[in-house]
Amino acid sequence: MDALSAGPKGTVLSERQRIAWLRLIRSDNIGPATFRDLINHFGSAEAALAALPELSARGGATRAVRIASEAEAHRELEAAHRFGARFVGIGEPDYPQALKQIDGAPPLLAVKGALAAAKRPAVGIVGSRNASIAGAKFAAMVARDCGRAGYTVVSGLARGIDTSAHRASLETGTIAALAGGLDQPYPPENIGLLEEITGGNGLAVSEMPFGWEPRARDFPRRNRLIAGIALGLVVVEAATRSGSLITARLAGEFGRLVFAVPGSPLDPRCHGTNGLLKDGASIVTAPADVIEALAPLAQFELFPSSMAEEPPREGGAMTMPPGDTDRSRIIDALGPTPVEIDDIIRHTSLSASAVYLILLELDIAGRLHRHQGGLISLSD
């Protein structure tokens, strides 16, 4: 585990860059993938911010795009400071190394607590909120032994299995991924647990703004953080339709190891985990099953450091914007069915740089929909 534990390298953002990054990710129609594409094309967040109004207009926006102001960014930075938190950019040394490799990794994470927890290899543990005594006890066993083996335990601060995993790894290090802002933890009964985590060897992380109260649609984003930070995910008790299975699906898409604890076919809380085993997840009947399977992954630097500014996209940035004819060809080629960008390039015979820029225009204008796997479609 030495390679990942030794401490990753990276590029530290200047305060000016951090403010620009915060403004860009908090602006309308800018998600992680769009953020990345803008940085790739324009070279910096400041240049991207300056280009947003023109890009939005060329993409056919019906109203001016809202761009977060410097004052708003400063207020959020000040709120983080008052809360004892900070923002870490992708590519900086304190950003979780495994997370930055996934598609759509958050450009900025709000973090509070012991940053060392993010520099060690991690294992995710999730499961039923309405956990059985046996399930909660087993989750704690796995968390405790994985922590002693040098892994940070990451979970979602939910009731049940998440709570057991966090509590069992307080001494060795645990990461709580939040669906809302760091100052809006959920559920309320785990506020004390969160304070124990951030006041000790653990860390709280969120990609949402301060003051953001979590909604139902925010929890899959939280699950994405868990799956991305961890090298492997252990599911302990999960119903057929549950957030834990969403996390497991994401972990599989990210190339992580997925483990499941078998349970009684008569217990609805185990239907999801038993289904994962049928689909090829690794069976877990003892903590050693997880530790031994993850050991080869933790021995090597699987996630090499990257710079804070990503390299230019292949084909380079265009010096002149594409014309209306090229834009119409791409819009005509798109529809409600998700397609790959490479297929658009082949279908239209336009240069890659022209296609990427036109897609950026449509995206910022709110006319593009991004799907899993890099697929895109035209919004309704």
Side-chain angles (χ1 to χ4, degrees):
M1 214 171 297
D2 293 342
L4 283 176
S5 302
K9 297 179 181 179
T11 300
V12 177
L13 295 172
S14 68
E15 194 64 15
R16 179 172 176 174
Q17 285 177 312
R18 204 175 307 276
I19 290 171
W21 278 41
L22 189 55
R23 289 183 63 199
L24 186 58
I25 195 60
R26 298 292 189 247
S27 296
D28 280 357
N29 300 331
I30 308 296
T34 308
F35 183 101
R36 176 203 62 204
D37 290 346
L38 285 166
I39 296 294
N40 284 354
H41 186 83
F42 292 100
S44 73
E46 286 186 287
L49 285 165
L52 285 183
E54 183 181 353
L55 289 172
S56 177
R58 293 207 308 256
T62 56
R63 59 181 178 84
V65 63
R66 188 198 68 83
I67 301 174
S69 66
E70 284 194 35
E72 290 175 293
H74 278 293
R75 281 196 295 271
E76 191 167 357
L77 287 172
E78 290 168 1
H81 180 73
R82 289 194 302 270
F83 194 70
R86 54 172 290 203
F87 288 96
V88 176
I90 189 170
E92 291 195 287
D94 294 326
Y95 194 93
Q97 294 299 291
L99 179 63
K100 72 181 180 182
Q101 302 300 321
I102 71 170
D103 288 337
L108 284 174
L109 278 180
V111 300
K112 180 181 180 181
L115 291 168
K119 298 180 182 181
R120 293 191 299 270
V123 57
I125 302 177
V126 297
S128 175
R129 289 176 171 81
N130 182 31
S132 68
I133 294 174
K137 184 177 180 179
F138 189 78
M141 287 173 55
V142 174
R144 191 176 298 111
D145 285 11
C146 285
R148 289 169 179 168
Y151 294 92
T152 293
V153 172
V154 57
S155 196
L157 201 70
R159 304 178 183 95
I161 297 300
D162 290 23
T163 296
S164 296
H166 285 308
R167 288 203 176 280
S169 53
L170 282 172
E171 291 186 7
T172 54
T174 184
I175 295 176
L178 274 60
L182 287 186
D183 57 344
Q184 298 291 328
Y186 182 87
E189 60 261 37
N190 274 350
I191 291 176
L193 173 58
L194 183 62
E195 291 173 349
E196 288 185 72
I197 291 171
T198 58
N201 296 322
L203 186 70
V205 302
S206 173
E207 61 178 301
M208 305 307 288
F210 275 81
W212 187 275
E213 295 186 11
R215 301 163 296 178
R217 66 182 183 184
D218 297 321
F219 287 91
R221 298 180 68 167
R222 184 276 311 269
N223 297 342
R224 188 178 180 84
L225 289 180
I226 297 170
I229 292 172
L231 295 179
L233 180 77
V234 182
V235 184
V236 185
E237 295 185 345
T240 302
R241 297 175 62 86
S242 66
S244 297
L245 295 189
I246 294 175
T247 312
R249 175 180 58 79
L250 291 168
E253 291 175 357
F254 298 156
R256 311 303 197 236
L257 297 182
V258 177
F259 305 89
V261 179
S264 170
L266 301 179
D267 188 343
R269 290 171 296 196
C270 300
H271 290 176
T273 46
N274 291 340
L276 288 174
L277 292 171
K278 290 180 181 179
D279 292 337
S282 298
I283 189 169
V284 177
T285 57
D289 296 334
V290 179
I291 296 169
E292 291 171 5
L294 288 179
L297 301 180
Q299 294 297 327
F300 305 101
E301 190 171 358
L302 301 178
F303 308 106
S305 300
S306 63
M307 303 297 284
E309 289 83 10
E310 298 181 31
R313 186 185 293 280
E314 184 178 353
M318 294 185 65
T319 55
M320 293 291 292
D324 290 340
T325 301
D326 293 342
R327 194 171 292 107
S328 296
R329 288 170 66 183
I330 289 180
I331 292 173
D332 290 342
L334 288 170
T337 303
V339 296
E340 296 182 355
I341 295 177
D342 286 347
D343 289 338
I344 300 173
I345 295 171
R346 284 191 289 268
H347 182 80
T348 61
S349 299
L350 295 172
S351 68
S353 57
V355 171
Y356 281 119
L357 185 53
I358 291 170
L359 292 178
L360 261 181
E361 295 172 354
L362 296 173
D363 197 1
I364 294 165
R367 301 177 64 189
L368 202 69
H369 185 63
R370 293 182 181 267
H371 303 266
Q372 288 287 346
L375 301 178
I376 59 171
S377 64
L378 207 60
S379 296
D380 296 333

